[in-house]
Amino acid sequence: MDKIFDLAIIGGGINGCGIARDAAGRGNSVFLCEMNDLASGTSSWSTKLVHGGLRYLEYYEFRLVREALIEREILWQIAPHIIRPLRFVLPHHAGLRPAWLLRLGLFLYDHIGGRKLLPPTRSVDLTRDEVGKPLVPNRYTRAFEYSDCFVDDARLVVLTARDAADRGAEIRTRTRAVEIRQADGIWHVALEDTSTGTGSTIKARSLVNAGGPWVEDVLRSGAGVNARAKVRLVQGSHIVVRKLYAHDRAYMFQNSDGRIVFVIPYQDDFTLIGTTDRDFDGDPSKVKASTEEIKYLCDSVSEYLAKPVSPEDVVWTYAGVRPLYDDGASEAKAATRDYVFELDTPGGAPMLSIYGGKITTYRRLAEEALERLAPYLRSDLKAKEGWTGKSPLPGGDMDVSAVAALTAELMRSYPFLTPAHASRLAHAYGTRATKWLGDAKSLVDLGQSFGAGLTESEVRYLMAHEWARSAEDIVWRRSKLGLHLSVGEIAALEDWIAANHVAPEAHSNGS
């Protein structure tokens, strides 16, 4: 008899993987399919922040901000290797938001979310503090400094999927749902392996449409559901330049058009600048940062920085399409970042479609999704409700302050690692780094070197345990080593992958 999953999820972004993890941890039989690589859509093209969304207070989204602020510290505690605290400097600019309004907003930001671990807001004298040095002299004298967190977004997705698989979920990447139909109260999903063209079918009692920008396309795949909600596609583009300043804090700059731009220390040697907000009409898989957006970001930060940034300084760009719930806002920047569910039961079997959401609230979104689906699922949902906020993601079983100690421990155990290499491994893999470093006594023991500290042992691990299949998966999602590798080195990695088949393991059980 064919297996019938309790839950099938279409979409391998942060929301789909979050629901898969939570459902598998509650004893459900879960299947997740993703048309491309995990996090290959919106989830890897974010500003890489776990934050409350200070600017959302202007749109009176108090519930969203409070929920996000609570989640900020929860996520930091379950994934301290890939999430770290980051202090943001917000210079006061005469003629824009008044100082009293910024103080009020930051007071709410500090207090409505139950902040316990992160330091509070403070005032900064830019004429004395080192954070004033990169700014235009004598133009900005006062600032506020507040806390949020930085996240490796693509690794957050992959580790969430890894944990779901370790708890029994079946994760299938490069798999497209070509047709969805219902018969006798059961969903039948026809699948196609996008690498080989091979077809297959799975059955499920419940279906989650976590298609992100493609959420409406999933509904058009024959599901028999007419969407009542609408998705608003908003493009956000980012640029990366060489390191702009020496200190470790980020900036939040206000623009005269009411938007804000973040300037964030990135990958040790670089600075990340973003994001834009503009409506998008087209194929989300082909989105790119436009010349206008690149110029806009350069011009925006050059208003503040003593040394202007020009398009010629840009070493990398990326863009993503945020699938926001269309609340009728006149401007993209004002569209809600909250999430909305649509639950339909054509023929008796439920389909839950997700509109909107943000990385910071993905765990709560998953909990609420399962609450909506509770009447249709067989497991005892109450038995493990809330467990995802207490159980660490793979490699995150340590204190939030322990990454530096883990880096030192890796250097003691593997003396051939440089401080930078050990730090990268500690932040990427946490306590699981030793799983593939094994008994290595030298870099040679880790196999072929591809540059920037990437070795054959690491590549094999990523292919076997983290569903990587291409050089792009590895250098732009599982890591950002593409910023450090040459075109030739990336091509050599692609050649090695093509010549060496490494089968993914469904359940690693921490190995």
Side-chain angles (χ1 to χ4, degrees):
M1 185 175 178
D2 290 343
K3 178 177 183 178
I4 301 177
F5 291 91
D6 294 331
L7 186 66
I9 302 164
I10 299 174
I14 190 61
N15 290 334
C17 292
I19 293 169
R21 179 189 187 227
D22 200 338
R26 301 190 199 200
N28 291 284
S29 173
V30 181
F31 178 92
L32 181 146
C33 72
E34 163 57 34
M35 183 168 59
N36 297 305
D37 182 30
L38 296 171
S40 58
T42 307
S43 294
S44 63
W45 306 128
S46 75
T47 313
K48 311 188 189 309
L49 299 179
V50 169
H51 65 142
L54 179 61
R55 70 189 181 92
Y56 305 150
L57 292 173
E58 289 188 305
Y59 302 106
Y60 308 109
E61 300 232 31
F62 298 112
R63 188 205 62 77
L64 173 63
V65 174
R66 182 175 184 275
E67 181 178 282
L69 289 171
I70 292 171
E71 286 298 298
R72 183 180 61 179
E73 292 201 356
I74 290 174
L75 297 185
W76 180 25
Q77 290 179 85
I78 66 171
H81 49 327
I82 59 170
I83 297 175
R84 60 178 171 82
L86 186 61
R87 295 288 282 174
F88 284 82
V89 177
L90 172 55
H92 176 244
H93 188 303
L96 296 180
R97 296 167 180 87
W100 68 265
L101 183 61
L102 297 178
R103 276 199 304 269
L104 175 60
L106 288 165
F107 177 83
L108 290 172
Y109 207 67
D110 270 351
H111 292 90
I112 66 174
R115 177 187 53 80
K116 297 176 181 177
L117 301 175
L118 294 168
T121 298
R122 72 180 185 101
S123 294
V124 178
D125 181 349
L126 293 176
T127 65
R128 296 174 178 271
D129 196 288
E130 66 174 337
V131 298
K133 292 178 181 178
L135 304 180
V136 176
N138 305 318
R139 183 180 295 177
Y140 308 102
T141 59
R142 183 183 187 191
F144 301 97
E145 185 179 288
Y146 68 96
S147 293
D148 263 323
C149 289
F150 183 86
V151 61
D152 187 326
D153 50 8
R155 289 209 62 72
L156 180 66
V157 176
V158 170
L159 294 181
T160 300
R162 178 69 266 162
D163 198 56
D166 289 346
R167 297 175 188 278
E170 182 174 336
I171 309 293
R172 211 182 286 183
T173 64
R174 265 81 174 189
T175 302
R176 186 165 66 96
V178 294
E179 185 184 14
I180 301 168
R181 61 183 179 84
Q182 196 177 144
D184 301 322
I186 297 293
W187 288 108
H188 297 247
V189 184
L191 305 170
E192 179 186 67
D193 186 313
T194 59
S195 299
T196 65
T198 305
S200 60
T201 302
I202 61 110
K203 299 176 183 179
R205 295 181 179 86
S206 300
L207 192 65
V208 171
N209 175 7
W214 296 273
V215 62
E216 292 178 353
D217 293 344
V218 173
L219 294 177
R220 287 192 286 265
S221 299
V225 174
N226 294 316
R228 296 182 300 277
K230 288 291 183 183
V231 66
R232 181 173 186 170
L233 300 181
V234 174
Q235 177 172 337
S237 295
H238 298 76
I239 60 175
V240 175
V241 299
R242 294 288 174 185
K243 192 172 184 177
L244 293 176
Y245 49 82
H247 65 76
D248 62 355
R249 282 166 279 182
Y251 292 97
M252 177 180 176
F253 292 153
Q254 306 174 78
N255 293 340
S256 57
D257 60 5
R259 299 184 198 174
I260 57 95
V261 171
F262 294 108
V263 179
I264 303 170
Y266 189 60
Q267 296 294 312
D268 298 326
D269 300 322
F270 301 92
T271 300
L272 172 64
I273 300 171
T275 180
T276 58
D277 275 307
R278 71 181 204 176
D279 287 309
F280 178 80
D281 182 18
D283 182 350
S285 67
K286 296 179 180 177
V287 62
K288 291 183 179 180
S290 68
T291 301
E292 293 78 16
E293 287 177 302
I294 293 170
K295 184 176 185 302
Y296 172 83
L297 292 172
C298 290
D299 291 346
S300 296
V301 299
S302 295
E303 282 291 312
Y304 286 85
L305 297 174
K307 183 181 179 182
V309 176
S310 71
E312 291 72 31
D313 298 320
V314 176
V315 298
W316 184 50
T317 70
Y318 66 85
V321 176
R322 295 186 286 271
L324 306 181
Y325 171 69
D326 190 353
D327 61 355
S330 59
E331 294 181 278
K333 68 178 182 180
T336 182
R337 266 56 176 176
D338 210 345
Y339 51 84
V340 173
F341 296 117
E342 265 197 7
L343 180 61
D344 295 280
T345 54
M351 171 188 268
L352 186 72
S353 297
I354 302 168
Y355 296 79
K358 57 203 295 282
I359 282 178
T360 308
T361 53
Y362 88 93
R363 195 195 65 83
R364 275 295 299 132
L365 181 151
E367 288 184 332
E368 190 172 335
L370 290 179
E371 288 167 13
R372 297 288 184 95
L373 291 170
Y376 308 94
L377 297 174
R378 299 185 302 169
S379 63
D380 182 5
L381 286 169
K382 295 296 180 184
K384 287 195 173 184
E385 188 173 346
W387 73 271
T388 56
K390 303 178 183 70
S391 181
L393 288 176
D397 48 338
M398 56 182 164
D399 186 77
V400 293
S401 62
V403 177
L406 176 59
T407 300
E409 183 181 332
L410 288 176
M411 292 178 66
R412 284 193 298 271
S413 301
Y414 305 95
F416 57 88
L417 294 177
T418 65
H421 194 174
S423 177
R424 179 179 75 80
L425 300 186
H427 281 92
Y429 303 101
T431 58
R432 287 199 175 186
T434 56
K435 299 296 182 182
W436 60 265
L437 285 168
D439 298 325
K441 304 299 182 186
S442 68
L443 274 177
V444 174
D445 293 337
L446 297 178
Q448 183 174 337
S449 174
F450 299 100
L454 182 67
T455 62
E456 181 180 332
S457 292
E458 184 174 0
V459 171
R460 286 186 179 278
Y461 178 87
L462 292 173
M463 294 175 73
H465 299 282
E466 294 192 5
W467 298 278
R469 289 202 204 173
S470 71
E472 181 183 351
D473 297 350
I474 290 170
V475 306
W476 293 118
R477 282 185 285 277
R478 305 305 183 280
S479 74
K480 291 298 182 287
L481 291 176
L483 287 167
H484 303 274
L485 292 167
S486 69
V487 173
E489 287 171 327
I490 295 174
L493 172 61
E494 195 69 78
D495 290 342
W496 186 93
I497 291 172
N500 293 269
H501 177 70
V502 180
E505 296 182 17
H507 311 298
S508 74
N509 296 318
S511 65

